């Protein structure tokens, strides 16, 4: 007798396993093409959405930087010392990679032209035209580069200046004892909205010209703003965010009393829009990844289900589990690689095709670069999910006799508690692989969002969602079975058979329900999220937001100005007014103001503070901490969030301030966030009306006027109120509105693409059950069922499956959206139309897809299929 060692056969080689797997692939290319396409759709959704969103975010960040004209800005209200200039030079040298910096000086002065010798107060800005602006463009009329316009003793002025003085390009401007030639009209100033409110029309000259005037004498009230541009590619070991934070900290150390902000703080409303757009785009990327994984899982499950008989036969003729694993691991990896490469190519094609197709609607230019990170993440997702999702069903063959594998469709496992535990224990390796799948998806989420915390939470919540969905699917099927057992005799036979199909032996209804429910949840959540965020975002570009401001109105002029705008054409939002009272802070949190240092908030703004009163939050201000007062005489104050951080103020902090010779001891009642567009952003401190309403005040106003009507309005307004300054920011708000429109368009495009890809993937998950239905249709035909009876039976099964999955999905979608929008501080509105549409759409999708994948079944002859068994 030969020993067991002699009987032990040699393991199948990898080369031989590959040859067997390749022959199997060639035998039925249509079936395997379905698997490749399922993988490709998921990978294409991930690569296309991630690549486009990255490109769009970079473009949007560049647009946001142009509103500040730099990456960072540090403002001081004095001239920098030689020591401070040395520290700034050291910062540039210390941070290799090409940091650039330039000073911008802003002050007020009197100016006149030769044709109108009476001077007016102007808002003067001096720049180095060789450096300024780092981002954006100063648009001039006639068109020319800013450096050319500011050569020698030349200046550019705003249209308001020409209107006020009835001047024109080419006239001589008298400023600071010097004559300047008006070289052009300043049509668009990139950082206009991020500057301090001017007190007159804009005049811009070069820094060299400013130094030749007598305007910068000792004690002049000028502010200086240091603009910093960081390198496009940060040094190794740093991200753009960490480099910006490091340079910001260095600037705060070099300029202790400076207000240092980055480009995201220049316009709070737009910053919030950018943050929300980033959130929804990241969510779309994660949804594309999960939907892709679902598509791969269902495709691979269907593929292996169809090959279980082949596996059993191979095992019956001598192949062991290791041989089978080798063959089908190589086969599935080949399918995953083919689908992944096809998906990467399709995703890159989407990145190129969408901007080309919608080019006329995109006024900002998307920078295209090959998305290496997204491509690798997509390819890795396709391969990893293909490998991991095919292992659990394949491992079922290891310790099972071939006869039981061939009888798996009708065999039931052990029942009872002991049987339940035995089934789970027998599948411990599969459960371990399932845990590896979730961990891998969490790792990919980490890569996609650059946040390990997001990756961990995603893996946890994804696991919980799948468990809950599987439990709900099981409960729903058991409830359906309970209902059918008690109403069986009262239902038509087609309805009975269709409902019974959902829990027949070997049916994958629970898995399909979980996959469909997850897909519906994610797709509907993307739709509801983008709708809620875009609704909130469009408030930033609302016609209610003022685009023309009026400065230094006297109290006796307020009624007349209101009457003027009541009759003015082109006004879409009537005049909104804000009173300003000058005051002086005495102490903050018990510390005298004169002893405060290193607050990064200019002391001058505390010693000469602008205050306002309001008994409700002003329009555009959102209370983030505390609550607004209810009594007009309350000894309280509200502070904007940016100032509160710099002065270390919180709800309950104590401040003392003086107005009109009276000292007020106040408690901080609320911290509010201004949106940057409304008048409320003009002041940082708001008090109850009973505290300061009786003090001498000046008024600021704001209205929204058709940009085409602004010039005519200014001429008419100056004729009546020549001492009131008009600040026109219509062009800036038009740029912001344009950026918001682009955010809206691209988010909708990417959300729509993700939803379309998701629907294709969900359709493939339904189509993957075709193999089961083919065998059932043949059995029913053998028993005498007609085609119409089979049609009715399957239609009931498809529609009920879709309704159950849709009901579960929409409940979780609304819960998930409510939680996410609450975290983003956006109001949630229940969308009845979207919810009902998702429910009906899921049922129609399930029915239509089921029949598209199964229509050929009706024409099969029973003998054709039975001979294959």
């Amino acid at each position: 007798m030969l020993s067991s060692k002699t009987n032990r056969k040699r393991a199948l080689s990898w080369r031989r396993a590959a040859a067997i797997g390749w022959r199997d692939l060639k035998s039925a290319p249509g079936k395997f093409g379905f698997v490749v396409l399922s993988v490709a759709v998921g990978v294409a959704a991930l690569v296309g959405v991630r690549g486009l969103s990255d490109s769009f975010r970079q473009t949007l960040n560049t647009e946001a930087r142009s509103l500040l004209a730099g990456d960072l800005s540090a403002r001081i209200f004095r001239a920098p010392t030689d020591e401070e200039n040395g520290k700034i030079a050291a910062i540039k040298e210390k941070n290799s990679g090409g940091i650039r910096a330039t000073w911008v000086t802003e002050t007020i002065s009197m100016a006149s032209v030769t044709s109108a010798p009476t001077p007016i107060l102007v808002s003067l800005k001096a720049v180095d035209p060789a450096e300024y602006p780092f981002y954006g463009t100063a648009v001039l009329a006639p068109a020319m580069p800013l450096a050319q316009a500011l050569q020698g003793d030349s200046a550019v002025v705003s249209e308001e200046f020409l209107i006020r003085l009835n001047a024109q390009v080419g006239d001589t401007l008298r400023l600071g004892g010097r004559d300047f030639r008006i070289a052009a009209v300043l049509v668009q100033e990139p950082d206009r909205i991020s500057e301090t409110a001017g007190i007159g029309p804009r005049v811009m000259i070069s820094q060299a010209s400013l130094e030749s005037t007598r305007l910068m004498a000792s004690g002049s009230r000028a502010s200086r703003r240091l603009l910093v541009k960081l390198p496009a590619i940060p040094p190794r070991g740093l991200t753009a965010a960490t480099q910006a934070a490091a340079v910001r900290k260095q600037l705060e150390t070099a300029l202790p009393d400076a207000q240092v902000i980055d480009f995201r703080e220049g316009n709070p409303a737009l910053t919030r829009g950018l943050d929300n757009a980033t959130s929804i785009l990241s969510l779309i990327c994660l949804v594309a990844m999960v939907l892709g994984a679902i598509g791969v899982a269902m495709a691979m499950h269907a593929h292996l289900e169809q090959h279980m008989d082949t596996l059993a036969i191979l095992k019956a003729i001598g192949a062991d589990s290791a041989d089978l694993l080798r063959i089908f691991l190589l086969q599935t990896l080949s399918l995953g690689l083919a689908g992944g490469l096809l998906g990467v190519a399709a995703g890159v094609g989407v990145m190129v095709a969408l901007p080309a197709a919608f080019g006329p609607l995109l006024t900002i230019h998307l920078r295209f670069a090959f998305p290496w990170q997204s491509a690798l993440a997509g390819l890795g997702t396709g391969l990893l999910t293909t490998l991991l999702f095919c292992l659990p069903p394949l491992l079922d063959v290891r310790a099972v006799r071939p006869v039981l594998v061939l009888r798996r469709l009708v065999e039931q496992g052990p029942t009872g508690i002991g049987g339940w535990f035995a089934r789970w224990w027998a599948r411990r390796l599969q459960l371990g692989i399932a845990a590896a799948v979730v961990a891998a998806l969490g790792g990919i989420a980490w890569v996609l969002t650059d946040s390990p915390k997001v990756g961990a939470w995603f893996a946890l919540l994804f696991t919980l969602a799948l468990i809950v969905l599987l439990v709900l699917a099981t409960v729903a099927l058991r409830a359906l079975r309970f209902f059918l057992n008690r109403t069986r005799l009262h239902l038509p036979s087609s309805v009975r058979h269709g409902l019974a199909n959902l829990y027949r032996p070997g049916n994958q209804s629970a898995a399909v329900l979980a996959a469909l429910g997850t897909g519906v949840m994610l797709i509907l959540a993307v739709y509801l999220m983008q709708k809620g965020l875009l609704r909130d975002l469009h408030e930033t570009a609302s016609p209610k937001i003022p685009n023309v401001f009026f400065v230094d109105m006297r109290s006796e002029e307020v009624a007349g100005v209101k009457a003027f705008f009541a009759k003015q054409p082109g006004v879409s939002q009537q005049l909104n007014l804000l009173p300003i009272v000058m005051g002086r802070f005495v102490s903050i949190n018990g510390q005298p103001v004169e002893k405060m240092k290193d607050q990064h908030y200019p002391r001058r703004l505390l010693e000469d503070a602008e205050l306002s009163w309001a008994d409700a939050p002003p329009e555009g201000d959102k209370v983030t901490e505390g609550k607004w007062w209810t009594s007009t005489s309350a000894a309280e104050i509200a502070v904007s969030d940016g100032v509160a951080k710099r002065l270390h103020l919180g709800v309950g902090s104590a401040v003392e301030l003086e107005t009109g010779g009276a000292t007020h001891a106040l408690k901080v009642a609320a911290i509010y966030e201004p949106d940057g567009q409304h008048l409320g952003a003009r002041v940082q401190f708001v008090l109850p009306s009973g505290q300061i309403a009786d003090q001498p005040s000046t008024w600021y106003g704001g209205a929204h006027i058709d940009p085409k009507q602004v010039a005519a309005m200014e001429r008419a307004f100056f004729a009546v109120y020549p001492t009131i300054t008009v600040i026109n920011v219509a062009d800036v708000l038009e740029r912001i509105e344009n950026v918001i429109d682009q955010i809206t368009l691209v988010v909708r495009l990417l959300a729509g693409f993700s939803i379309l890809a998701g629907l294709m993937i969900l359709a493939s998950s339904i189509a993957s059950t075709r193999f089961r239905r083919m065998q059932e249709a043949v059995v029913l035909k053998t028993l005498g069922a007609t085609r119409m009876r089979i049609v009715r039976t399957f239609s009931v099964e498809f529609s009920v499956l879709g309704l159950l999955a849709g009901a579960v999905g929409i409940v979780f979608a609304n819960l998930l959206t409510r939680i996410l929008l609450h975290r983003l501080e956006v109001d949630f509105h229940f969308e009845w139309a979207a919810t009902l549409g998702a429910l009906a759409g899921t049922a129609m999708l399930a029915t239509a897809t089921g029949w598209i994948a199964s229509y050929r079944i009706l024409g099969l002859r029973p003998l054709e299929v039975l001979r294959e068994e």
Side-chain angles (χ1 to χ4, degrees):
M1 179 180 291
L2 296 174
S3 65
S4 60
K5 183 175 181 179
T6 306
N7 281 330
R8 186 180 301 159
K9 72 179 187 66
R10 189 172 63 180
L12 193 68
S13 68
W14 285 100
R15 183 176 180 180
R16 186 62 179 165
I20 296 174
W22 176 245
R23 275 200 300 269
D24 189 32
L25 288 175
K26 291 194 298 181
S27 65
K31 295 179 181 179
F32 297 110
F34 173 76
V35 177
V36 170
L37 287 176
S38 297
V39 176
V41 169
V43 173
L46 176 57
V47 174
V49 170
R50 172 69 191 276
L52 267 176
S53 65
D54 283 349
S55 176
F56 184 63
R57 274 183 288 201
Q58 292 175 6
T59 304
L60 281 182
N61 284 336
T62 300
E63 290 291 313
R65 287 179 172 93
S66 72
L67 294 175
L68 190 67
D71 291 291
L72 297 167
S73 170
R75 183 186 297 277
I76 57 176
F77 290 84
R78 54 175 178 78
T81 64
D82 291 339
E83 181 183 358
E84 288 171 338
N85 281 325
K87 291 180 179 179
I88 292 169
I91 291 174
K92 294 168 65 176
E93 293 177 4
K94 179 180 179 181
N95 294 273
S96 59
I99 288 182
R100 295 164 60 188
T102 185
W103 284 102
V104 174
T105 304
E106 298 166 11
T107 187
I108 56 175
S109 179
M110 303 300 293
S112 63
V113 295
T114 53
S115 59
T118 303
I120 64 169
L121 200 62
V122 298
S123 177
L124 180 64
K125 181 175 182 177
V127 301
D128 178 0
E131 294 285 345
Y132 172 90
F134 289 132
Y135 297 96
T137 305
V139 179
L140 306 177
M144 66 180 75
L146 183 62
Q148 177 184 341
L150 296 184
Q151 284 180 349
D153 291 332
S154 297
V156 296
V157 299
S158 65
E159 188 176 8
E160 289 84 10
F161 180 88
L162 300 181
I163 294 172
R164 287 285 296 270
L165 294 177
N166 195 25
Q168 60 185 354
V169 173
D171 285 355
T172 299
L173 166 69
R174 187 71 177 173
L175 178 71
R178 293 285 307 277
D179 289 337
F180 295 84
R181 183 182 66 87
I182 300 177
V185 176
L186 184 60
V187 178
Q188 179 177 299
E189 187 180 353
D191 53 343
R192 176 67 164 167
I193 205 167
S194 64
E195 298 171 353
T196 54
I199 306 181
R202 168 69 78 211
V203 173
M204 184 184 293
I205 61 176
S206 67
Q207 287 282 10
S209 297
L210 178 64
E211 292 171 2
S212 68
T213 68
R214 299 190 297 266
L215 296 174
M216 290 294 100
S218 177
S220 62
R221 296 174 67 84
S223 72
R224 290 165 176 84
R225 193 158 50 100
L226 179 69
L227 293 179
V228 178
K229 181 181 182 181
L230 302 177
I233 301 176
R236 180 171 296 181
L238 291 177
T239 64
T242 55
Q243 185 188 29
V247 175
R248 177 173 181 164
K249 188 173 182 180
Q250 293 167 17
L251 287 175
E252 289 175 342
T253 302
L255 302 170
D257 60 340
Q259 286 179 286
V260 183
I261 63 173
D262 63 28
F263 71 94
R264 302 186 69 83
E265 298 174 81
N267 188 275
L270 185 59
T271 297
R272 184 181 179 191
L274 287 171
D275 290 340
N276 287 345
T278 300
S279 299
I280 185 67
L281 291 174
S282 297
L283 175 65
I284 291 172
C285 289
L286 292 176
V287 167
M289 181 191 72
V290 174
L291 291 174
I294 291 174
V296 171
M298 299 305 295
M300 293 312 304
H301 190 276
H303 164 59
L304 290 172
E305 277 292 316
Q306 295 180 51
H307 284 76
M308 277 297 179
D309 292 342
T310 304
L311 295 174
I313 292 170
L314 287 174
K315 199 166 187 181
I317 61 176
D320 59 20
S321 298
D323 295 334
L324 299 179
L325 284 172
R326 252 186 222 100
I327 294 170
F328 284 92
L329 278 178
L330 288 173
Q331 189 182 80
T332 52
L333 281 177
S334 300
L335 294 173
L337 180 61
L341 292 174
L342 181 62
V344 169
V348 174
V350 167
M351 288 184 60
V352 176
L354 276 183
F358 294 92
L361 301 177
L362 290 170
T363 57
I364 57 177
H365 177 65
L366 292 178
R367 296 185 179 91
F368 176 79
F370 190 85
W372 289 106
Q373 188 178 23
S374 302
L376 292 175
L379 186 60
T381 301
L383 279 173
L384 191 61
T385 51
T386 302
L387 173 62
L388 294 178
F389 278 121
C390 82
L391 283 178
L394 188 59
L395 290 173
D396 286 341
V397 188
R398 290 175 306 124
V400 180
R401 298 193 305 274
V403 64
L404 295 182
V405 175
L406 297 175
R407 294 170 58 189
R408 69 191 181 282
L409 295 181
V410 295
E411 289 288 340
Q412 295 290 324
T415 58
I417 297 179
W420 177 86
F421 178 78
R423 288 198 305 273
W424 283 100
W425 178 253
R427 300 179 65 84
R428 58 189 181 278
L429 185 55
Q430 288 90 327
L431 293 176
I433 293 174
V437 171
V438 174
L441 294 178
I444 296 172
W446 176 356
V447 172
L448 291 177
T449 60
D450 297 321
S451 172
K453 185 176 181 180
V454 171
W457 275 106
F458 174 79
L460 176 62
L461 295 177
F462 181 63
T463 303
L464 292 176
L466 278 182
I467 292 173
V468 171
L469 285 168
L470 282 171
V471 170
L472 287 178
T474 303
V475 170
L477 291 174
R478 288 185 179 274
L480 186 64
R481 185 171 188 171
F482 178 82
F483 167 78
L484 190 59
N485 286 338
R486 281 154 180 75
T487 59
R488 188 182 302 273
L489 297 179
H490 304 285
L491 296 175
S493 60
S494 298
V495 175
R496 292 201 311 270
H497 292 156
L499 294 178
N501 279 349
L502 294 172
Y503 55 82
R504 67 182 182 272
N507 199 318
Q508 299 296 321
S509 295
V512 174
L513 269 176
L516 269 178
T518 304
V520 172
M521 175 186 72
L522 295 174
I523 292 172
L524 183 58
V526 166
Y527 175 81
L528 296 177
M529 280 283 292
Q530 64 96 16
K531 192 163 186 178
L533 290 176
L534 294 180
R535 184 193 306 113
D536 181 74
L537 182 61
H538 270 283
E539 295 181 3
T540 306
S542 169
K544 297 180 180 179
I545 294 176
N547 62 354
V548 179
F549 295 92
F550 306 89
V551 180
D552 287 344
M553 277 184 277
R554 297 190 304 272
S555 297
E556 57 269 23
E557 294 176 319
V558 169
V561 173
K562 284 184 177 179
F564 174 88
F565 280 99
K567 302 175 182 178
Q568 187 66 27
V571 178
S572 58
Q573 179 66 23
Q574 282 298 327
L575 188 68
N576 186 21
L577 295 170
L578 179 76
I580 299 293
V581 174
M582 301 307 297
R584 182 180 71 87
F585 278 85
V586 179
S587 68
I588 294 178
N589 285 325
Q591 184 180 14
V593 169
E594 57 268 18
K595 294 184 179 180
M596 294 176 61
K597 295 181 179 180
D598 300 336
Q599 299 293 324
H600 301 297
Y601 190 79
R603 190 185 305 168
R604 184 179 73 80
L605 295 184
L606 294 175
E607 296 173 343
D608 197 13
E610 293 184 336
L611 315 171
S612 185
W613 72 79
D615 295 322
E619 189 174 9
D621 292 350
K622 182 176 183 178
V623 176
T624 56
E625 295 180 43
K627 60 180 181 179
W628 215 262
W629 44 83
T630 55
S631 172
T632 59
S633 58
E636 296 176 333
I637 187 173
V639 185
S640 70
D641 57 349
V643 173
K645 290 176 183 177
R646 290 184 172 93
L647 297 178
H648 308 295
L649 291 171
V651 174
S653 297
V655 301
E656 279 186 293
L657 59 86
E658 182 183 302
T659 60
T663 301
H664 306 263
L666 306 172
K667 180 182 72 173
V668 176
I671 306 295
Y672 65 89
E673 178 186 1
D675 66 2
Q677 270 74 48
H678 290 86
L679 281 173
R682 180 67 182 81
V683 294
Q684 313 297 331
F685 308 100
V686 183
L687 285 74
S689 60
Q691 292 286 338
I692 58 172
D694 58 344
Q695 299 290 328
S697 58
T698 56
W699 292 75
Y700 288 79
H704 193 283
I705 303 172
D706 183 354
K708 298 178 182 178
Q709 300 279 352
V710 171
M713 179 278 299
E714 287 182 309
R715 292 186 179 93
F717 188 78
F718 288 141
V720 183
Y721 300 101
T723 60
I724 298 177
T725 299
V726 178
I727 302 174
N728 178 13
V729 295
D731 63 317
V732 179
L733 292 183
E734 194 171 4
R735 289 169 57 207
I736 293 175
E737 184 176 357
N738 179 60
V739 172
I740 289 171
D741 288 343
Q742 301 310 300
I743 293 175
T744 302
L745 176 63
V746 174
V747 166
R748 283 178 174 164
L749 284 177
L750 294 183
F753 176 69
S754 180
I755 289 171
L756 177 62
L759 293 176
M760 293 174 65
I761 292 167
L762 293 188
S764 71
S765 69
I766 299 169
S768 66
T769 61
R770 177 179 179 274
F771 175 67
R772 293 283 191 185
R773 290 194 303 278
M774 179 176 66
Q775 294 177 320
E776 182 182 354
V778 167
V779 172
L780 290 175
K781 276 192 173 185
T782 304
L783 297 176
T786 64
R787 287 192 179 190
M788 287 308 301
R789 179 176 290 272
I790 295 175
V791 167
R792 288 194 296 268
T793 300
F794 282 173
S795 296
V796 170
E797 178 185 357
F798 295 148
S799 58
V800 172
L801 192 68
L803 286 173
L804 288 176
V808 172
I810 61 177
V811 169
F812 279 90
N814 280 279
L815 289 175
L816 178 63
T817 305
R818 188 183 187 92
I819 294 170
L820 292 176
L821 290 181
H822 178 72
R823 293 290 301 272
L824 296 174
E825 299 181 351
V826 176
D827 294 333
F828 170 78
H829 299 277
F830 189 83
E831 300 285 347
W832 282 105
T835 299
L836 295 177
L839 184 62
T842 307
M844 290 188 290
L845 174 71
T847 305
T849 305
W851 276 118
I852 289 173
S854 308
Y855 75 96
R856 292 184 59 191
I857 292 175
L858 299 177
L860 289 176
R861 297 179 180 179
L863 196 58
E864 295 178 28
V865 178
L866 294 176
R867 279 177 173 174
E868 295 179 1
E869 294 293 329

